[in-house]
Amino acid sequence: MAIVAVLGVKSLVSSSLTVPSASTVPPEASTPAREAGGAVPAGTTVFDDEVPGVAKLDPALLRALRRAATDAAADGVELVVNSGWRSPAYEDRLRREAIAKYGSEAEAARWLATGTTSPHVSGHAVDIGPADATSWLSAHGAAYGLCQIYGNEPWHYELRPQAIAQGCPSMYADPTQDPRMQR
């Protein structure tokens, strides 16, 4: 769920916690093998079809992201993909890294799902950066059906088509509150 790929390999950042992300990933982590599993090279945009983390996103999500990115660009804002689609193995690797970093499964679960529960694995979630892009999406995303799902992850967006007419649904505090993560 957390940011995982763009800007190289950054840490997943919340207001006070850092979670592994693509933009904080060391250059050696952005290898063809890791990219094949979903790692996203620094500077990747929603238009970079050669990057599996973008190309394997759900087509409806990708269309909405591209419409939003085009309009954001008119406002001088670039939407960068820090993480998109991830393979189950890559998601599980990120989860193990988060457990090591945070010291417990419970704390890691606040930032990353498993390879069987993550909407990133199905291509239904994207992590966007930088901060001006997440601010832009926070203000305008519902018009495209793009909604922030978790209060602790301002970068994590999923497609909710009903948001275009009804606005985005209430956010979960973090992934541990999301019933989809309970499988």
Side-chain angles (χ1 to χ4, degrees), residues 27-96:
E28 67 275 7
S30 184
T31 65
R34 275 194 84 160
E35 287 178 29
V40 179
T44 297
T45 74
V46 299
F47 301 103
D48 290 328
D49 289 332
E50 71 283 358
V51 177
V54 172
K56 293 184 177 184
L57 286 172
D58 174 74
L61 172 59
L62 190 55
R63 281 191 301 276
L65 285 165
R66 288 178 172 172
R67 285 192 307 274
T70 298
D71 291 348
D75 290 339
V77 176
E78 181 179 40
L79 302 187
V80 175
V81 177
N82 291 322
S83 186
W85 167 86
R86 302 177 193 151
S87 70
Y90 186 53
E91 183 76 26
D92 287 338
R93 175 182 175 167
L94 293 172
R95 178 74 171 241
R96 288 190 304 275

Side-chain angles (χ1 to χ4, degrees), residues 10-173:
K10 282 189 176 179
S11 55
L12 300 175
V13 180
S14 80
S15 53
S16 63
L17 297 175
T18 305
V19 180
S21 85
S23 49
T24 56
V25 175
E28 67 275 7
S30 184
T31 65
R34 275 194 84 160
E35 287 178 29
V40 179
T44 297
T45 74
V46 299
F47 301 103
D48 290 328
D49 289 332
E50 71 283 358
V51 177
V54 172
K56 293 184 177 184
L57 286 172
D58 174 74
L61 172 59
L62 190 55
R63 281 191 301 276
L65 285 165
R66 288 178 172 172
R67 285 192 307 274
T70 298
D71 291 348
D75 290 339
V77 176
E78 181 179 40
L79 302 187
V80 175
V81 177
N82 291 322
S83 186
W85 167 86
R86 302 177 193 151
S87 70
Y90 186 53
E91 183 76 26
D92 287 338
R93 175 182 175 167
L94 293 172
R95 178 74 171 241
R96 288 190 304 275
E97 290 171 1
I99 292 168
K101 179 175 185 157
Y102 294 110
S104 73
E105 176 79 27
E107 187 59 28
R110 294 189 60 233
W111 303 102
L112 287 147
T114 67
T116 58
T117 62
S118 175
H120 283 281
V121 171
S122 65
H124 288 101
V126 65
D127 295 336
I128 296 293
D132 65 334
T134 58
S135 292
W136 191 94
L137 273 179
S138 178
H140 304 286
Y144 306 90
L146 298 170
C147 296
Q148 182 184 343
I149 303 301
Y150 305 116
N152 70 326
E153 295 186 9
W155 53 80
H156 181 98
Y157 281 80
E158 296 180 25
L159 183 63
R160 298 291 185 269
Q162 69 280 8
I164 296 170
Q166 302 168 359
C168 290
S170 297
M171 287 184 259
Y172 298 107

